[in-house]
Amino acid sequence: MRLKAFSRLLFLATAMLMAGLASAEYQLNLKPAKTALGEAVYDLHTLVMIIITVIFIGVFGFMFYAIFKHRKSVGHQAAHFHENTTVEIVWTVIPVFILIGLAWPATKALLEMRDTSAPDMTIKVTGYQWKWGYEYLDDDVKFYSSLATPRDQIQGDAEKGEHYLLEVDKPLVVPVGKKVRILTTANDVLHAWYVPELAVKQDAIPGFIRDTWFQAEETGTFRGQCAELCGKEHGFMPIVVNVVSEDDYKIWVAEQKSAGGAAAYDPGKTYSVAELTSAGEAVYKAHCVACHQPNGSGMPPTFPALTGGMISTGPIANHLDIVLNGSKKNPMMAAFGAQLSDMEIAAVVTYERNALGNSLGDSLQPGEVAAARK
Amino acid sequence: MSQSVLKRNRETLRKLVVVALLMFGFGYALVPLYEKICEVTGINQVVKPDTVVNTQVDKSRTIVMEFDANARGDIAWELIPRERKRTVHPGELVHVVFDLKNTTDVSVQAQAIPSFGPQRAGLHVKKLECFCFTQQEIRAGESRELPVVLVVEPTIPQDVHTVTLSYTMFEVGGTQEPKTAMRPTGGNG
Amino acid sequence: MEAVHEHDHSHDHPTGLMRWVTTTNHKDIGTMYLWFSFAMFMVGGVMALIIRTELFQPGLQVVQPEFFNQMTTLHGLIMVFGAIMPAFVGFANWQIPMMIGAPDMAFPRMNNWSFWLLPPAGTLLVLSMFVPGGSAGVGWTMYAPLTVQQGMGMDLVIFAVHILGMSSIMGSINIVTTILNLRAPGMTMMKMPLFVWTWLITAYLLIAAMPVLAGAVTMTLTDRHFGTHFFNAAGGGDPVLFQHIFWFFGHPEVYIIAIPAFGVISQVIPAFSRKPLFGYASMVYATASIAILSFLVWAHHMYTVGMPVEAQLYYMFATMLIAVPTGVKVFNWVATMWKGSMTFETPMLFAIGFLFLFTLGGFTGLVLALTPVDVQLHDTYYVVAHFHYVMVAGALFSAFAGVYFWLPKWIGKMYDETLGKWHFWLSIIFFNLTFFVQHFLGLAGMPRRIPDYSLQFADFNMISSIGAFGFGLSQLLFLYILIKAIRSGEKAPEKPWDGADTLEWTHLPTPAPYHSFETPPTVK
Ligand SMILES: [Cu+2]
């Protein structure tokens, strides 16, 4: 009997798989939650899994008993019953009670989950194709957060780092133990803000705001991803939340305000090509690299090459115009005027002209960008 | 098949086709139905003036009103609330101002869509005057003050302490739509 | 009913290709549905393998993200509308007239049209990959406003969905009419085989749900090209509205796929247990209540869009309620096996596989019904695992059971029992290898529809991809078994299955003649 030998082999393989899973520490369950609400969700999941397992074993215990005992090959004669009102009522009513038992904790957790009242702070999260925008409504801090994993890791040209695809240039920073209310919206299509360990997932809908909340109970770095299909880079817009002590949070906010990120510049100063080029690299990686590629080769004809490109090596005013206002001819080139600061635009334009295989040597000053905006 | 069966078949066919057509219509009927449900539950705000039922100021409660604004599309414009936050009493008349700035060199036809967080609060915040009631034409380089007058009704549920009013400004029939419409989920290299 | 045998068929059928193009015979049309469905199953399967190849390890190796998105979209649409649904319509065509003692379907000409709409629709779906910009990369759910950004491929997909919907509606009208009006004398509603009952209920679901989908994609089309703003906030619309309309169709759609599968299983299990189906009446009522409930729970697919909490509570309770009639069905099947005299030929193996794994998928459905848990698991691989347990281990395994069960009746030859068993064991092992580990991925937080993932997900994805290839290759064995049976199968006995007791086994010779029941049998 080849089949018998085969099924024995199968049994062995399954046993080995189970042993393997048990020995190596695989993540087989929800990740342990870092919020009280997350714990409630975790417990609810455990409860429903216990109920399911018990019913499963019960029902299929009967089935496998029947399969082994009530088979023709052991000479079992078929009975002829085909209904039993009592039994049928029992197995309709008992599940109803089990479900009521489940609905109770589920309702409690749900009401808790949707209670966004009395927050300690509010952060607006905006989904963009393909990055996140964060705006602290109480502290007046605002920035974009995009994938920091280098493209060569994704293409397999470099070894993948520990936090491959789950690392960003600027993480969200929040204080521990505070109720953080998240308002979500989106710029273009649907996105969803999802951080498993904080038990948060909320769709971001263009034109409308939605709210959710979390209150982290320990400090640490928590990583998540966009959970709603939003186009080609959907898999490449991670979320990183740094939960820090309240003091550290205050220091961080102060830093943000004084530095103003790359947005601040000294209006009296003339920046050198080198300064702008080095500042521009980060901007390029955050906003341009998905289409124009790390080396500037683009994907012609849709996404033209910047290396030796018509615009990136042409008059600098045209170059500035297309970055600021988008392209009139090629609808794929978006306007970045609203997203990037004067300094960032000056830096990225200079970078594109003096890196990626170009070396024009000219530069754009942030003041000129401000002037071009009128 | 006998005539009587054929006749019955045609009759059944007729009924089922009517059902199918009605269900197609029902798909479309879901559109106004959804709008109505959203209006009743306060999910989406209809863009028209509200009438206030009760203007009795309730000094015993305070509500934190947060203001937020977004300007969409690939054009350089800004919509900013002049103040981020105001603490108000239910029943009190609240005046707030949003600043709209068009930094492009073309004039823009714009429509703002309001949205509330939490959504159910929207039912109890009445807008008496709002720039979202009409389309706005903003000329090239123009800055404009956009006023909103609203009342938080005393009927607002007791457990609501913070209400966010968020506006999203869209360009009407502008360059935004064809732009996004033609942007493919392009290549990555 | 004295004149039923005056059926106006001509006995000089065209031969060759034209026979198939012009045929109005329910058996021919059933055969074409089944082969079409198998072809689409192969096409959708290749797409699944492209997806699993890309996901074999982290990084982008084989395809680009936009093509990956097109693959997930087309895989879903082709499997749901091109493979699973036509397969069961194929069963309906072959079996319903024979099981109720009717000479053919009520509208044979319309039957021909509803089949011949399918190949153009399938072609459109495949063609959409080759237009500029490629096919739609929006997921089979086609959520707005991502659909507005797509190229011409999106329009082709929309047209394909229109045509597929048209075909389904026509097929369903035919089925309802046949069942209501063409039953043999004495075949009362409550004497109909359960397979017929499930199809009657399914056909009503289709007639009610498909037009709503047609409406949703039409609105998408006009939003794209004709300046409407159904789903665009800028014009006063709302993207979330699309999801409501889609899932108003989409949830019944799940049962449109599952309920005929229940029907097949309800024929197979009694036959191989040599014992009548336990609780026939309660099976009918449970199926009907599942169908009605399916129209009342759609927004449980939308727990994260930010509905009012009252609505979430309602959808949670209503969804949990579906567990009751579904439980009744499972209990009834087990009770049918209880104290039977079972044998385990391939159809029975697939039926047991169905019972075991579909129940597992039902249980994860209960987990997902709980809103707070679903918020964690929504749009992750947990959901992917869940619906593949329902769609593959549920519907597909049931279809396999049906093919092995009825093949002797259809072609008069037996399939190779040993190979059939191999097909079952390979399928069930590789199926679980592919999809069981996806539960773990989802619990750990891996979103669905991503072409690349972080390193923590690497091992389970590799296992899943290996399983997928095994599963795909196992289906080539199925094709071989079919061809072998058709070409050189042993002659089937008149009644190969002891316990089969429906009209096609008791009143018709094997294989079933081209025209059957031209004089209706009398059912006692
Ligand atoms: Cu996204």
Side-chain angles (χ1 to χ4, degrees), chain A residues 34-36 118-121 173-181 198 213-220 222 241-247 249:
Chain A
K34 303 294 192 244
T35 66
D120 295 310
M121 59 187 287
V173 177
V174 296
V176 71
K178 295 283 180 202
K179 183 167 181 177
V180 181
R181 176 162 164 262
L198 300 177
W213 67 279
F214 66 87
Q215 182 169 351
E217 283 186 352
E218 50 187 271
T219 58
F222 306 113
V241 181
N242 273 347
V243 178
V244 299
S245 72
E246 217 186 325
D247 291 340
Y249 175 70

Side-chain angles (χ1 to χ4, degrees), chain A residues 265-339:
Chain A
Y265 66 93
D266 180 352
K269 180 176 170 189
T270 303
Y271 289 84
S272 73
V273 172
E275 278 172 318
L276 287 166
T277 303
S278 76
E281 187 174 354
V283 182
Y284 185 82
K285 287 205 166 128
H287 299 276
C288 318
V289 77
C291 299
H292 291 294
Q293 302 303 302
N295 59 1
S297 62
M299 290 189 65
T302 318
F303 306 112
L306 297 185
T307 311
M310 215 165 61
I311 288 172
S312 49
T313 57
I316 199 161
N318 295 353
H319 194 168
L320 169 60
D321 180 60
I322 202 165
V323 173
L324 202 55
N325 302 317
S327 167
K328 302 258 174 329
K329 282 189 233 120
N330 183 347
M332 271 65 91
M333 177 65 196
F336 285 90
Q339 288 180 30

Side-chain angles (χ1 to χ4, degrees), chain A residues 2-3 6-7 10 17 21 26-31 38 41 44-45 48-49 51-52 55-56 59-60 62-68 70-73 75-84 87-88 91-93 95-96 98-100 102-103 105-107 109-111 113-114 129-130 153-156 160-166 188-190 192 194-203 205-208 210 225-236 299, chain C residues 58-61 64-66 69 72 137-139 143-146 149 233 237-240 243 273-280 282 304-309 312-313 316-317 320-321 323-324 328 330-332 334-335 337-344 352 355-356 359-360 363-364 366-367 370-380 382 418 421-422 425-426 429 433 440-457 459-460 463 498:
Chain A
R2 268 182 308 166
L3 269 176
F6 183 72
S7 58
L10 163 72
L17 184 70
L21 287 178
Y26 282 106
Q27 181 68 45
L28 300 180
N29 199 346
L30 286 171
K31 286 182 178 167
V41 172
L44 182 61
H45 178 253
V48 65
M49 286 310 288
I51 293 174
I52 285 172
I55 300 177
F56 198 80
V59 171
F60 290 103
F62 270 98
M63 189 185 85
F64 281 109
Y65 182 85
I67 286 178
F68 287 109
H70 305 155
R71 52 164 71 207
K72 197 179 175 196
S73 57
H76 194 271
Q77 296 289 316
H80 291 286
F81 65 87
H82 58 85
E83 56 190 357
N84 183 327
V87 172
E88 288 176 57
W91 70 38
T92 310
V93 173
V96 172
I98 295 175
L99 290 175
I100 293 173
L102 253 181
T107 304
L110 177 58
L111 292 176
M113 183 175 264
R114 295 304 302 278
Q129 281 174 319
W130 291 276
Q153 287 189 16
I154 297 171
Q155 301 300 340
K160 295 180 174 45
E162 188 192 352
H163 297 299
Y164 176 69
L165 292 192
L166 293 180
D188 29 52
V189 298
L190 301 177
Y194 172 37
V195 184
E197 285 152 296
L198 300 177
V200 172
K201 184 184 287 135
Q202 179 59 57
D203 290 3
I205 302 164
F208 301 97
R210 294 290 195 260
Q225 285 175 269
C226 176
E228 182 63 66
L229 180 63
C230 56
K232 81 176 171 91
E233 302 286 298
H234 164 56
F236 305 92
M299 290 189 65
Chain C
L60 290 178
Q61 286 88 20
Q64 292 309 318
E66 69 275 38
N69 290 344
T72 58
V138 292
Y143 279 6
L146 188 59
Q149 290 185 356
D238 186 343
V240 177
Q243 300 181 27
S273 304
R274 293 166 181 75
K275 196 167 151 280
L277 182 69
F278 186 89
Y280 172 89
S282 72
T304 62
V305 300
M307 279 183 288
V309 68
Q312 286 183 322
L313 284 172
M316 175 166 78
F317 298 148
M320 290 169 78
L321 211 54
V324 176
V328 166
V330 172
F331 299 143
N332 280 344
V334 174
M337 294 161 75
W338 189 253
K339 289 196 187 293
S341 178
M342 279 185 270
T343 50
F344 302 94
I352 293 171
L355 188 51
F356 192 72
T359 305
L360 217 154
F363 277 135
T364 53
L366 181 62
V367 174
L370 304 173
T371 315
V373 180
D374 180 79
V375 166
Q376 278 284 337
L377 299 176
H378 176 75
D379 268 338
T380 68
Y382 194 90
T418 312
K421 286 189 167 134
W422 271 98
W425 286 108
L426 290 173
I429 291 163
L433 202 58
F440 303 140
L441 290 171
L443 285 163
M446 177 170 163
R448 65 193 283 203
R449 296 167 172 165
I450 55 174
D452 192 7
Y453 48 83
S454 57
L455 303 180
Q456 56 179 324
F457 303 127
D459 294 342
F460 286 139
I463 293 174
D498 294 349

Side-chain angles (χ1 to χ4, degrees), chain B:
Chain B
M1 251 175 270
S2 74
Q3 283 311 308
S4 72
V5 173
L6 286 177
K7 209 175 135 218
R8 263 197 306 158
N9 284 354
R10 272 199 299 273
E11 180 62 13
T12 315
L13 171 71
R14 202 178 56 81
K15 281 184 195 153
L16 293 174
V17 168
V18 169
V19 173
L21 290 176
L22 282 178
M23 288 311 291
F24 185 75
F26 177 77
Y28 277 85
L30 280 172
V31 177
L33 200 68
Y34 177 77
E35 276 163 16
K36 195 72 209 161
I37 290 171
C38 291
E39 194 185 322
V40 172
T41 54
I43 296 178
N44 293 343
Q45 287 304 298
V46 214
V47 190
K48 65 172 198 276
D50 297 310
T51 45
V52 179
V53 188
N54 189 344
T55 49
Q56 194 73 40
V57 178
D58 180 0
K59 290 272 185 200
S60 67
R61 283 182 73 193
T62 55
I63 304 280
V64 179
M65 283 292 304
E66 291 180 336
F67 303 102
D68 171 55
N70 309 280
R72 290 288 169 248
D74 291 338
I75 42 176
W77 59 348
E78 286 177 332
L79 181 65
I80 299 169
R82 197 165 285 176
E83 55 195 314
R84 278 283 183 199
K85 244 181 199 187
R86 170 130 27 121
T87 307
V88 304
H89 295 296
E92 175 189 344
L93 219 53
V94 183
H95 297 258
V96 285
V97 173
F98 287 70
D99 288 308
L100 178 66
K101 201 158 83 186
N102 177 4
T103 52
T104 64
D105 51 8
V106 285
S107 77
V108 177
Q109 194 75 19
Q111 170 71 55
I113 308 289
S115 174
F116 286 94
Q119 294 158 25
R120 63 202 168 106
L123 204 54
H124 307 278
V125 179
K126 302 291 180 187
K127 297 179 296 297
L128 306 181
E129 197 186 319
C130 176
F131 57 93
C132 59
F133 297 154
T134 51
Q135 288 185 6
Q136 309 280 326
E137 187 178 335
I138 305 111
R139 288 185 305 280
E142 184 188 348
S143 295
R144 186 182 299 180
E145 287 183 3
L146 301 172
V148 177
V149 179
L150 54 85
V151 174
V152 179
E153 292 210 311
T155 51
I156 192 159
Q158 289 294 329
D159 58 337
V160 174
H161 307 287
T162 310
V163 177
T164 308
L165 169 56
S166 172
Y167 286 101
T168 304
M169 197 65 124
F170 290 96
E171 189 184 2
V172 178
T175 54
Q176 185 222 341
E177 283 171 61
K179 260 193 181 217
T180 39
M182 287 181 60
R183 186 181 306 151
T185 53
N188 180 51

Side-chain angles (χ1 to χ4, degrees), chain C residues 270-352:
Chain C
F272 292 88
S273 304
R274 293 166 181 75
K275 196 167 151 280
L277 182 69
F278 186 89
Y280 172 89
S282 72
M283 281 304 229
V284 172
Y285 300 138
T287 312
S289 37
I290 289 175
I292 292 165
L293 280 172
S294 75
F295 279 108
L296 304 173
V297 297
W298 74 87
H300 68 214
H301 297 268
M302 304 163 54
Y303 282 149
T304 62
V305 300
M307 279 183 288
V309 68
E310 296 82 2
Q312 286 183 322
L313 284 172
Y314 160 74
Y315 283 111
M316 175 166 78
F317 298 148
T319 305
M320 290 169 78
L321 211 54
I322 292 189
V324 176
T326 314
V328 166
K329 299 189 81 96
V330 172
F331 299 143
N332 280 344
W333 286 321
V334 174
T336 306
M337 294 161 75
W338 189 253
K339 289 196 187 293
S341 178
M342 279 185 270
T343 50
F344 302 94
E345 290 89 345
T346 310
M348 184 63 163
L349 288 179
F350 272 108
I352 293 171

